[in-house]
Amino acid sequence: MFKILIVQNDDLEKGALQNKISLINSLNASSKFYKKGVSLIEAVLFTFLSGAVFTDLYKDKIYNLWVVPAFLTGMIIAALGGADKLITTLTAVGITFILLLPVYLFKGIAAGDVKLFMAAAVFMSAQETFSCILLSFLIAGIISLIILIFKRNKKKTIHFAVPVLISALFVVGGVL
């Protein structure tokens, strides 16, 4: 994070300047979870995932009309970033597909969830994608346990877009 310190002529005395610097340092120390500002790519990712959560919760479906434009936007951004960025992006998407295809085939998650993860992977590195997948399943397990304890409804399904958004906020947002 960049700090701009404007020093006026009457603030040039040593004590006032040191007080301003110590104030800035204390503000930095108080925000220990702060990693960086939200970039445009992260804002697009979080907006896309938030929309997917909304449609998943209210319509029980993650629409292709929502996922495909996000995927294409991420691919365009990656292509504009150069060949290295495009290769990194395609690697993250490929890893996502390879990891989640067996889970989908055994009915662990729905096809929309796989597409959601693949679209989210376009905005992340392979390591962030892998961490996001693992954390999403952990969060989904915790949600499942809470549902079993309080509702005792074994037929209840989980809206998997919610754990995906939460895990992306943790992984990409800088908490983990």
Side-chain angles (χ1 to χ4, degrees):
M1 180 162 84
F2 296 103
K3 300 278 191 241
I4 298 174
L5 180 64
I6 299 173
V7 179
Q8 298 173 354
N9 288 338
D10 54 346
D11 286 338
L12 287 177
E13 61 184 85
K14 188 176 180 183
L17 186 59
Q18 283 183 329
N19 286 341
K20 285 185 178 183
I21 291 172
S22 66
L23 175 66
I24 290 171
N25 289 336
S26 67
L27 288 174
N28 284 340
S30 67
S31 60
K32 66 180 183 178
F33 289 117
Y34 180 79
K35 179 176 135 184
K36 58 184 176 179
V38 176
S39 70
L40 179 62
I41 293 171
E42 291 168 345
V44 171
L45 171 65
F46 297 141
T47 302
F48 144 65
L49 289 176
S50 298
V53 166
F54 181 81
T55 61
D56 196 18
L57 289 173
Y58 290 103
K59 302 288 185 176
D60 265 348
K61 187 172 171 91
I62 300 171
Y63 292 103
N64 288 340
L65 193 60
W66 191 253
V67 175
V68 172
F71 183 85
L72 293 175
T73 301
M75 290 302 290
I76 290 169
I77 292 170
L80 292 174
D84 289 341
K85 178 65 176 161
L86 187 59
I87 290 169
T88 302
T89 299
L90 291 173
T91 302
V93 172
I95 289 171
T96 304
F97 181 74
I98 290 168
L99 287 175
L100 295 179
L101 183 62
V103 180
Y104 165 73
L105 292 175
F106 286 109
K107 306 285 187 206
I109 57 176
D113 300 324
V114 175
K115 292 183 281 186
L116 177 70
F117 260 122
M118 289 176 66
V122 172
F123 296 94
M124 296 186 261
S125 69
Q127 182 179 357
E128 289 172 332
T129 301
F130 186 71
S131 297
C132 188
I133 290 171
L134 290 178
L135 190 58
S136 293
F137 279 101
L138 178 67
I139 292 168
I142 292 169
I143 292 171
S144 298
L145 188 63
I146 291 169
I147 289 172
L148 282 173
I149 290 171
F150 290 108
K151 298 221 176 186
R152 306 226 187 259
N153 185 357
K154 294 181 177 132
K155 299 209 186 252
K156 175 80 175 151
T157 60
I158 295 176
H159 299 281
F160 206 70
V162 175
V164 174
L165 173 62
I166 294 169
S167 68
L169 287 170
F170 275 111
V171 173
V172 178
V175 177
L176 291 179

